Amino acid sequence: MTGADFGVNLAFYLTIFSTLICVAYGTLNWNKGSTDKSKGVKNWARTEDKIDEGL
Amino acid sequence: MGAFENIIIILYLALIGYLGFLGYKQTKNTTDYLIAGRDTHPFIMALSYGATFISTAAIVGFGGVAAWLGNSLLWLTFFNIIIGIFAAFVFLGNPTRKMGYRLNAHTFPELLGKRYNSKFIQMFGGSIVLLFMPLYATAVLIGGTHFISLYFQVDYHAALLVFSLIITVYVIAGGLKGVMLTDALQGTIMFIAMIILMFVTFDALGGIDQAFSKLDNVWTQTVGSLSDTSLKELQPGGPDFMMKLSTLWGFTGWNSMPSFMGPGWLFVITTITLGVGIGVLAQPQLIVRFMTVKSKQELNRAVLIGGVFIVSMTGIIFIVGSLTNAWYYEFNDGKNALQSAGSIGKVIPHFINTAMPKWFSFIFLFALISAAMSTLSSQFHTMGTAVGRDLIQQIKPKSNSVTVTRLGIIVMISFSVSLAYAFNEQPAIIARSTAIFFALCASIFLPSYIAGLFWKRMTKKGAIASMLVGLISSSFWLVFVHFKEAKALGIAKALTGSHSVLSGKIIFVDALIIALPLSIITAIVVSLMTKKMDGKHLDKCFSD
């Protein structure tokens, strides 16, 4: 940033950098973590199905 | 108002109505109504999280503060992104989601209550939401209604009733699904408006470098000239008074950090950056959104969308707020932003009306209304779940969750609207309610929430002690010490004759900086001193 001191410049570039981290993380992990095989999820899905059937 | 504006308003209301109806149609059970069926799309989840977080006050209020104090506020944007989005979604999101599934939790207080196997914790958490969120909601409600009544030239009370009625209908009918779908639409409008605002501002000031480089000269000409004037000679609260005050706090320009550990530095870093930047992690209405997605993939994708959204909100409004000084100096007879608009809260609306084309004022109004609606709808829903799920259902377990939550929403909306009806000008206590709510939530909930997710040794007694210490210490600091809240509340003044029981720079330190470490230490010490929680219960919380 033109005319800004070190502290403000640091905040500005850390803001840009942290946004890029979010973009990079989201892009690299876009298709990861889609399957959740935990028992809790399965139990929950089973309960939900029963409720839906009941309705 | 022209035909084009009428068509846009009708279209907007029709879309909101349609999305509320879609939420209603898709809501079949308690899980749908309270946590959107745990199958929300990442785009909707991320925008809903962001739009709930960013209220009208964040845009207008903080934009005005940036016009006053400058670009040092960008530290908050950095924290918003790295803590509020990245750390929250990457480190807390998935463990929260999984524990929510395992324990079948539908609200944030319920998650804590079930993790620590304590009805008291759930009811205590619900009560905190119930006690303090209405003031926060009232502040947002008053802010949003003022813009509507000013732009459309209608009576404040009439605008308030219509505005709150629209939100009531889609929150009650559509539950969290309706809330999140409308949040996504409102978030999109906010995003578009802010991007346009940034381009038009830079264009008006001759480009990015040109714009920033003008700020130093404007400071020298309009604030530097006050160096020989004492604060007592200026009208209290007036533009020059506020600018002179900022120099006494250690500010030397809109492009500079205030002097290290001075009052200004403590205010920007502890109250604004850490208070809001860390406080966001413990907001019940935001945490519940982690429980609305079905897998880690949605959270991964939401990191990208949320990061871009937040930088477009606080990042842009802080920079634009600061640059309004350069614009006014150039186009308004050599005055700075506060001198031109009159006060901090008026800078952004005044700038939009004078510096931006007419068509953009209309778009920006929609962005502000959207920001208010998205925050309010989530607040109303969270308060409703606190009444219904966390309190009434704990006393009467056989009551229907959806029905009692709907009743809770009606009661809490009525309460908030009554407050907004009575106070059409924000009393100081309501104006400070956002900061109060953030400080309280972080001090009360954060240690129990994070340790609950990652530390099996954390006990029920440790959690209760930590919450009570957080409540007592943050309340004490807010009521008796911090220069903003203690003055607004007036209790310290009534009892001791002074706005704060302490003096010196310490009164600029935010409540969170004092109360959160105390709450963390209490959680650790009491947990280590008390018996471990039952192994079977911990397995239920942590194992798949």
Side-chain angles (χ1 to χ4, degrees):
Chain A
M1 280 169 79
T2 313
D5 74 354
F6 175 74
V8 169
N9 260 317
L10 188 64
F12 179 76
Y13 288 110
L14 282 173
T15 299
I16 303 291
F17 181 64
S18 56
T19 308
L20 292 177
I21 288 179
C22 288
V23 171
Y25 182 89
T27 310
L28 292 171
N29 295 289
W30 193 259
N31 290 318
K32 289 180 186 168
S34 62
T35 48
D36 195 328
K37 292 170 184 169
S38 64
K39 210 195 299 174
V41 176
K42 283 181 185 168
N43 286 342
W44 169 77
R46 218 174 290 137
T47 315
E48 286 294 296
D49 286 345
K50 274 184 195 166
I51 292 169
D52 283 348
E53 276 168 26
L55 288 168
Chain B
M1 216 169 27
F4 174 74
E5 287 167 322
N6 282 326
I7 291 168
I8 297 289
I9 293 166
I10 292 166
L11 200 67
Y12 179 75
L13 290 176
L15 268 172
I16 295 283
Y18 171 72
L19 292 172
F21 178 71
L22 213 60
Y24 172 73
K25 288 291 282 180
Q26 290 175 2
T27 298
K28 292 171 186 163
N29 52 47
T30 307
T31 308
D32 290 335
Y33 196 79
L34 298 185
I35 45 172
R38 298 193 202 267
D39 61 353
T40 307
H41 190 278
F43 177 79
I44 291 168
M45 187 274 195
L47 281 189
S48 173
Y49 184 98
T52 299
F53 181 19
I54 305 296
S55 64
T56 319
I59 297 174
V60 175
F62 276 72
V65 174
W68 175 36
L69 301 179
N71 283 318
S72 55
L73 261 71
L74 283 172
W75 280 103
L76 174 57
T77 307
F78 168 59
F79 266 67
N80 285 157
I81 298 166
I82 205 72
I83 304 286
I85 296 292
F86 190 79
F89 283 44
V90 174
F91 300 115
L92 302 181
N94 202 40
T96 307
R97 181 189 69 81
K98 284 169 89 170
M99 196 172 276
Y101 273 130
R102 290 179 196 128
L103 300 174
N104 198 26
H106 290 75
T107 66
F108 174 59
E110 188 179 12
L111 179 79
L112 291 180
K114 287 191 167 172
R115 161 64 179 86
Y116 295 109
N117 202 12
S118 163
K119 259 192 182 185
F120 170 79
I121 289 181
Q122 182 173 357
M123 293 178 76
F124 178 76
S127 306
I128 294 293
V129 170
L130 218 59
L131 279 173
F132 297 104
M133 205 184 253
L135 287 179
Y136 176 20
T138 303
V140 181
L141 202 51
I142 293 174
T145 306
H146 266 300
F147 285 106
I148 297 171
S149 76
L150 275 176
Y151 191 89
F152 296 109
Q153 297 292 304
V154 289
D155 174 57
Y156 169 83
H157 294 108
L160 173 69
L161 289 180
V162 174
F163 185 45
S164 47
L165 202 65
I166 292 167
I167 303 170
T168 307
V169 170
Y170 74 77
V171 176
I172 289 179
L176 195 57
K177 276 181 183 271
V179 168
M180 291 181 81
L181 285 168
T182 48
D183 280 356
L185 169 73
Q186 289 153 349
T188 308
I189 293 169
M190 290 156 70
F191 179 78
I192 293 168
M194 297 305 281
I195 296 291
I196 297 173
L197 176 67
M198 180 182 71
F199 277 108
V200 177
T201 305
F202 279 132
D203 184 54
L205 290 167
I208 298 172
D209 282 347
Q210 282 273 342
F212 286 118
S213 62
K214 288 173 182 171
L215 286 175
D216 280 345
N217 179 45
V218 182
W219 180 277
T220 310
Q221 298 299 326
T222 63
V223 186
S225 56
L226 297 170
S227 59
D228 296 331
T229 314
S230 87
L231 203 58
K232 285 177 185 168
E233 295 171 54
L234 301 165
Q235 184 204 343
D240 285 342
F241 178 92
M242 295 307 288
M243 293 317 303
K244 178 70 185 177
L245 186 66
S246 75
T247 61
L248 298 176
W249 281 4
F251 286 90
T252 55
W254 290 293
N255 263 339
S256 314
M257 287 299 289
S259 52
F260 182 65
M261 290 302 277
W265 190 92
L266 289 170
F267 180 57
V268 168
I269 299 300
T270 70
T271 300
I272 294 181
T273 305
L274 298 177
V276 180
I278 294 178
V280 69
L281 291 176
Q283 293 288 298
Q285 73 278 24
L286 297 180
I287 293 168
V288 79
R289 273 153 178 75
F290 298 141
M291 298 197 271
T292 65
V293 292
K294 68 177 176 193
S295 73
K296 192 167 187 276
Q297 187 185 57
E298 282 76 18
L299 290 166
N300 290 340
R301 293 178 178 186
V303 172
L304 188 158
I305 302 159
V308 173
F309 181 81
I310 292 294
V311 78
S312 311
M313 295 294 122
T314 61
I316 290 176
I317 201 63
F318 291 165
I319 287 174
V320 168
S322 191
L323 290 177
T324 54
N325 288 293
W327 189 88
Y328 280 118
Y329 185 77
E330 208 162 309
F331 299 102
N332 193 30
D333 301 331
K335 292 179 179 174
N336 62 35
L338 260 63
Q339 288 168 338
S340 305
S343 69
I344 294 167
K346 288 179 182 165
V347 171
I348 297 298
H350 191 272
F351 179 70
I352 299 296
N353 285 331
T354 48
M356 298 286 134
K358 181 83 181 148
W359 60 268
F360 182 73
S361 305
F362 189 63
I363 290 181
F364 198 77
L365 173 84
F366 266 87
L368 292 182
I369 293 173
S370 296
M373 284 175 95
S374 53
T375 305
L376 279 168
S377 59
S378 303
Q379 289 171 329
F380 290 151
H381 186 269
T382 304
M383 290 191 285
T385 60
V387 174
R389 185 86 181 178
D390 299 323
L391 291 173
I392 295 178
Q393 265 210 322
Q394 297 313 303
I395 300 161
K396 278 190 161 189
K398 286 185 180 172
S399 51
N400 181 298
S401 267
V402 176
T403 310
V404 289
T405 300
R406 281 186 168 140
L407 275 173
I409 292 170
I410 292 172
V411 170
M412 296 317 291
I413 290 180
S414 307
F415 181 54
S416 305
V417 172
S418 305
L419 281 178
Y421 202 86
F423 301 109
N424 59 359
E425 283 302 327
Q426 287 193 5
I429 174 64
I430 289 182
R432 299 303 307 157
S433 59
T434 308
I436 292 172
F437 191 71
F438 270 64
L440 282 170
C441 281
S443 311
I444 296 168
F445 296 129
L446 204 53
S448 301
Y449 170 48
I450 293 182
L453 293 178
F454 300 108
W455 193 39
K456 290 184 182 176
R457 189 65 185 79
M458 179 83 169
T459 64
K460 177 173 150 181
K461 285 177 181 164
I464 292 174
S466 154
M467 286 177 164
L468 292 175
V469 166
L471 173 65
I472 294 164
S473 54
S474 53
S475 302
F476 173 80
W477 203 261
L478 290 165
V479 173
F480 292 106
V481 182
H482 195 250
F483 77 111
K484 286 262 182 187
E485 287 78 30
K487 189 178 172 188
L489 288 161
I491 297 172
K493 175 88 175 168
L495 294 176
T496 68
S498 170
H499 286 309
S500 175
V501 294
L502 300 179
S503 58
K505 284 191 273 185
I506 191 81
I507 66 167
F508 290 88
V509 174
D510 193 68
L512 175 140
I513 305 298
I514 306 298
L516 184 57
L518 288 175
S519 176
I520 292 171
I521 292 166
T522 308
I524 295 169
V525 171
V526 176
S527 292
L528 291 174
M529 284 168 63
T530 48
K531 200 180 152 196
K532 279 183 187 176
M533 289 193 74
D534 176 49
K536 276 186 188 168
H537 176 73
L538 289 176
D539 278 349
K540 200 175 145 192
C541 297
F542 289 94
S543 302
D544 291 325

